[in-house]
Amino acid sequence: MSNIREVARLAGVSVATVSRTLRSPDRVLPQTREKVNTAVKQAGYRPNLMAVQFRSQKTGNLVILVPAIANTFFAQVISGAQRAAQAAGYRLLLCDTQGREEVERQFAELVYAHQADGVIQLRAYDPFETATSGAVLPPIVNACEVISNGRYPTISLDNLAAAKALTTYLITLGHRRIGLIKGSRTSPLTLDRLAGYRKALREAGIRFDKELVCHGDFTLNAGFIGASKMLAMAHRPTALFCENDEMAIGALKRIKEEGLRVPEDISLVGFDDIPMANYCDPPLTTISQPAEAFGERAVEMLIMLIEKKPLPARHVVLPFEITARGSTAPLAIV
Amino acid sequence: MSNIREVARLAGVSVATVSRTLRSPDRVLPQTREKVNTAVKQAGYRPNLMAVQFRSQKTGNLVILVPAIANTFFAQVISGAQRAAQAAGYRLLLCDTQGREEVERQFAELVYAHQADGVIQLRAYDPFETATSGAVLPPIVNACEVISNGRYPTISLDNLAAAKALTTYLITLGHRRIGLIKGSRTSPLTLDRLAGYRKALREAGIRFDKELVCHGDFTLNAGFIGASKMLAMAHRPTALFCENDEMAIGALKRIKEEGLRVPEDISLVGFDDIPMANYCDPPLTTISQPAEAFGERAVEMLIMLIEKKPLPARHVVLPFEITARGSTAPLAIV
């Protein structure tokens, strides 16, 4: 690789001028800029961008912390984020954190290491939780699941309202024993969905039965195991609400193995509307989330923070809708 | 945030000593190191890692170029890579390139910008193709789909052998009209699989019929559309080979819509063995690839290159196996 001295020689200027042109092109004359740029190309010179960026204090990199890369809901969020980052001339660096706090902190530190300009966190854990209240926090946007300390701008779904709407939909079909296969026990998102489920029951005058609630981890296998428990009950539910589509697809396999039919013997709903939800048999009734919009909006807001522009709103709530497909039916009167 | 001067004051050493301790801890006395580290914690000081790394010329970051984040096969590769990177103390930065060359080049440039120490490419495109033969290339490992210019260490599957084995499996079940739903028209991986399919036919004395081959892009929808074409033929195939599981699941939906049964009316196979392959109805017969091992081995080899250790082998071929499930059956004699 050629060096800056060769560029200076070819351009007929000093090394300092080449350096200034690369760092702050606006501060040199247009004809100098042109001479230097031509020489850079001619010499095949790659400026040490790190040295340049070290001075400008900007990297052009955004970090997004993803709890589960294998979850296709997040894949859609990423796809939207990537499109927005690219349109704005930023590089999006994805970090597979498996939802582990120490890994999230480690990746978020890229900002302190001046290797990224800002962070998007998709989970309710504050990777800068140890920073004292007086500390200057880096640009960060929190999307999907909300961190409760109020430090950051957020983009979220009203999970309580969505879970309530979906439960009410099942109640309207005549179901009163509705099993709930939850995500992890303590995540805010899953607690909100549980609250929505309970609120719908309460408003319909149906007693909450904690036997009808079990916990999973949003995987296919968790749905399979959750359904096993539900189907083993003496008085089994006539409908199952799984807190994501992957678990619903796992439950579907188990229900069929038991020789039961969906929706004739048991109705089944998921959450997210991942592409696979329309390809299982029967296709799933579910809550459609604007997954790509989560990513797009998060990147747009983060760039505003980085570029010190005012945010139109600090807390954005995106809309949901119920997508009814073949996995739900009115309760058969026996 | 406190600064290096405060650390020096607390530790009772000079600023230069603090700086040397952070940069090259091995080059100061243990008691000095301890005093400085204690003061760093006490002051809540975060050294400007970029400045430190600028001098040591190492970032601790690895870049992995992923053609399709939404494809769960790649999600498994990433999971293996992430585990290996973490175990070795490196940060893995995932880049969603959508298989677009200009995006791949842009992310690979992180190495030239000294923001990453090396690159893993999962697709047959050389992001440094414009570098002249004399140029010093950064550490790079090529996994999954092989770049043909021979510049880089590779980890691959014998796609020809795997496709041949799977086609022969269908032939052994009595099938002679076997439709092939390919990936994109020109990718090396999909050309290898086509060659394997043709070789199996040839060895069984079955004439190759180009009408039985169509092209897709590895998505659910591509499988759905491919199956539509196959089923519309006057003399339709009795078995379908889809070059990945997503396309097979897409095809499965279309076959059922037509009122046909898998495997009674038509056998169906995929490729990859993603988790969903075992959850569709019927579960898919497919080629199991050691997806996580691709990621693990790629990271291990990349770190050896970065740390200038000799590679035990420059080209690694990982094994495959046929996983037979419910989507295939012997051809019914009419």
Side-chain angles (χ1 to χ4, degrees):
Chain A
M1 233 174 291
S2 64
N3 68 26
I4 196 166
R5 278 184 196 80
E6 193 182 339
V7 175
R9 192 184 56 78
L10 285 167
V13 300
S14 71
V15 166
T17 301
V18 173
S19 171
R20 193 165 53 247
T21 307
L22 295 173
R23 238 175 27 238
S24 324
D26 299 342
R27 290 175 53 206
V28 296
L29 292 173
Q31 55 264 46
T32 309
R33 202 155 61 221
E34 209 184 305
K35 271 194 287 187
V36 170
N37 288 340
T38 307
V40 162
K41 270 189 208 138
Q42 206 180 329
Y45 174 64
R46 290 181 175 280
N48 183 326
L49 286 181
M50 183 157 162
V52 173
Q53 285 158 347
F54 178 52
R55 296 187 194 98
S56 74
Q57 296 292 331
K58 210 151 171 278
T59 67
N61 299 333
L62 310 178
V63 162
I64 183 165
L65 306 177
V66 186
I69 284 282
N71 183 317
T72 39
F73 170 72
F74 289 117
Q76 291 172 277
V77 173
I78 290 166
S79 159
Q82 168 65 17
R83 201 167 42 236
Q86 222 165 287
Y90 282 81
R91 267 185 294 232
L92 185 71
L93 305 178
L94 318 176
C95 306
D96 180 14
T97 67
Q98 307 119 49
R100 287 170 53 199
E101 299 181 357
E102 77 277 15
V103 181
E104 293 173 313
R105 284 196 301 269
Q106 190 196 2
F107 279 116
E109 296 252 320
L110 284 164
V111 181
Y112 283 133
H114 296 285
Q115 292 177 343
D117 302 328
V119 175
I120 294 168
Q121 166 63 306
L122 301 179
R123 202 173 74 91
Y125 169 70
D126 180 356
F128 300 108
E129 62 168 3
T130 57
T132 49
S133 58
V136 178
L137 291 167
I140 165 164
V141 170
N142 174 212
C144 297
E145 189 181 68
V146 173
I147 300 168
S148 60
N149 64 16
R151 273 174 160 175
Y152 309 114
T154 59
I155 305 163
S156 59
L157 196 84
D158 186 341
N159 279 291
L160 190 153
K164 176 172 180 269
L166 194 55
T167 308
T168 300
Y169 176 78
L170 290 169
I171 293 170
T172 311
L173 291 173
H175 297 281
R176 296 181 66 85
R177 280 187 71 73
I178 301 168
L180 178 66
I181 302 182
K182 280 178 78 260
S184 64
R185 204 171 285 269
T186 55
S187 88
L189 177 147
T190 195
L191 291 175
D192 283 350
R193 291 184 189 169
L194 174 64
Y197 162 86
R198 294 188 66 159
K199 195 169 177 193
L201 295 182
R202 198 165 50 243
E203 289 187 7
I206 301 169
R207 198 178 59 82
F208 171 70
D209 178 355
K210 69 178 194 321
E211 295 297 309
L212 285 173
V213 176
C214 72
H215 298 271
D217 61 358
F218 290 123
T219 60
L220 290 161
N221 189 47
F224 186 87
I225 290 171
S228 292
K229 288 181 197 154
M230 297 283 175
L231 297 178
M233 296 176 73
H235 184 28
R236 65 170 167 78
T238 64
L240 269 189
F241 174 178
C242 298
E243 283 194 1
N244 76 344
D245 293 337
E246 259 103 342
M247 290 199 297
I249 293 170
L252 180 58
K253 182 180 168 85
R254 185 65 192 86
I255 294 168
K256 287 181 177 179
E257 279 187 5
E258 198 67 21
L260 296 171
R261 294 160 306 163
V262 173
E264 293 85 349
D265 299 312
I266 189 161
S267 279
L268 180 67
V269 300
F271 203 106
D272 291 343
D273 199 14
I274 61 172
M276 202 62 81
N278 194 29
Y279 282 86
C280 57
D281 179 19
L284 274 183
T285 294
T286 188
I287 292 285
S288 300
Q289 293 204 57
E292 298 203 355
F294 271 107
E296 264 173 38
R297 297 292 292 272
V299 163
E300 286 163 7
M301 284 167 73
L302 184 61
I303 292 174
M304 284 180 193
L305 292 179
I306 291 168
E307 298 179 351
K308 301 195 192 309
K309 293 176 187 154
L311 291 180
R314 208 175 140 78
H315 298 288
V316 174
V317 177
L318 295 181
F320 64 86
E321 57 187 49
I322 296 178
T323 297
R325 297 199 185 95
S327 69
T328 42
L331 182 65
I333 312 297
V334 187
Chain B
M1 231 174 291
S2 63
N3 67 27
I4 196 166
R5 279 184 195 81
E6 194 182 339
V7 175
R9 192 185 56 79
L10 286 167
V13 300
S14 70
V15 167
T17 301
V18 173
S19 170
R20 193 166 53 248
T21 308
L22 296 172
R23 236 173 30 237
S24 323
D26 299 343
R27 290 174 52 206
V28 298
L29 292 173
Q31 55 265 47
T32 308
R33 200 156 60 221
E34 208 183 304
K35 271 194 287 187
V36 170
N37 287 341
T38 307
V40 162
K41 270 189 207 138
Q42 206 180 328
Y45 175 64
R46 290 181 174 281
N48 183 326
L49 286 181
M50 183 157 162
V52 172
Q53 286 159 346
F54 179 53
R55 295 186 195 99
S56 74
Q57 296 292 330
K58 215 158 167 270
T59 67
N61 299 334
L62 310 178
V63 162
I64 182 165
L65 306 176
V66 186
I69 285 281
N71 183 316
T72 39
F73 170 71
F74 289 118
Q76 292 172 277
V77 173
I78 291 166
S79 161
Q82 169 64 17
R83 201 167 43 237
Q86 222 166 288
Y90 282 80
R91 267 187 292 234
L92 185 71
L93 305 178
L94 319 176
C95 307
D96 180 14
T97 66
Q98 307 118 49
R100 286 170 52 199
E101 299 181 357
E102 76 278 14
V103 181
E104 292 172 314
R105 284 196 301 269
Q106 190 195 2
F107 279 116
E109 296 251 321
L110 284 165
V111 181
Y112 283 132
H114 296 285
Q115 293 178 343
D117 303 327
V119 175
I120 294 168
Q121 166 63 306
L122 301 179
R123 202 173 73 92
Y125 169 71
D126 180 355
F128 301 108
E129 62 167 2
T130 56
T132 50
S133 58
V136 178
L137 290 167
I140 166 164
V141 169
N142 174 212
C144 298
E145 189 181 69
V146 173
I147 300 168
S148 60
N149 64 16
R151 273 173 160 175
Y152 309 115
T154 59
I155 306 163
S156 59
L157 197 84
D158 187 340
N159 279 292
L160 190 154
K164 176 172 181 269
L166 194 55
T167 308
T168 299
Y169 175 78
L170 291 169
I171 293 169
T172 311
L173 291 173
H175 298 282
R176 296 181 66 84
R177 279 187 72 72
I178 301 168
L180 178 67
I181 302 182
K182 281 176 81 256
S184 64
R185 204 171 285 269
T186 54
S187 87
L189 178 148
T190 195
L191 291 175
D192 282 350
R193 292 184 189 168
L194 174 64
Y197 162 85
R198 294 188 66 159
K199 194 169 177 193
L201 295 182
R202 198 164 51 243
E203 289 187 7
I206 301 169
R207 198 178 58 82
F208 171 70
D209 178 356
K210 71 179 193 322
E211 295 298 308
L212 285 173
V213 177
C214 73
H215 299 272
D217 62 359
F218 291 123
T219 61
L220 290 161
N221 189 48
F224 186 86
I225 290 171
S228 292
K229 288 182 198 153
M230 297 284 177
L231 298 178
M233 295 176 73
H235 184 27
R236 66 171 169 76
T238 65
L240 270 188
F241 174 177
C242 299
E243 284 194 0
N244 76 344
D245 293 339
E246 261 103 343
M247 291 200 296
I249 292 171
L252 180 58
K253 182 180 169 84
R254 185 65 193 88
I255 294 168
K256 287 181 177 180
E257 279 187 5
E258 197 68 21
L260 296 172
R261 295 161 305 163
V262 173
E264 295 84 348
D265 299 311
I266 188 161
S267 280
L268 180 68
V269 301
F271 204 106
D272 290 344
D273 199 14
I274 61 172
M276 201 62 80
N278 194 30
Y279 282 86
C280 57
D281 179 18
L284 274 183
T285 294
T286 188
I287 292 286
S288 301
Q289 294 205 57
E292 299 204 355
F294 271 106
E296 264 174 38
R297 297 291 291 274
V299 163
E300 287 164 7
M301 283 167 74
L302 184 62
I303 292 174
M304 285 182 193
L305 292 179
I306 290 167
E307 298 179 351
K308 301 193 192 307
K309 292 175 188 156
L311 291 180
R314 207 174 141 77
H315 298 288
V316 174
V317 176
L318 294 180
F320 64 86
E321 57 187 50
I322 295 177
T323 297
R325 297 200 184 96
S327 68
T328 41
L331 181 66
I333 311 295
V334 186

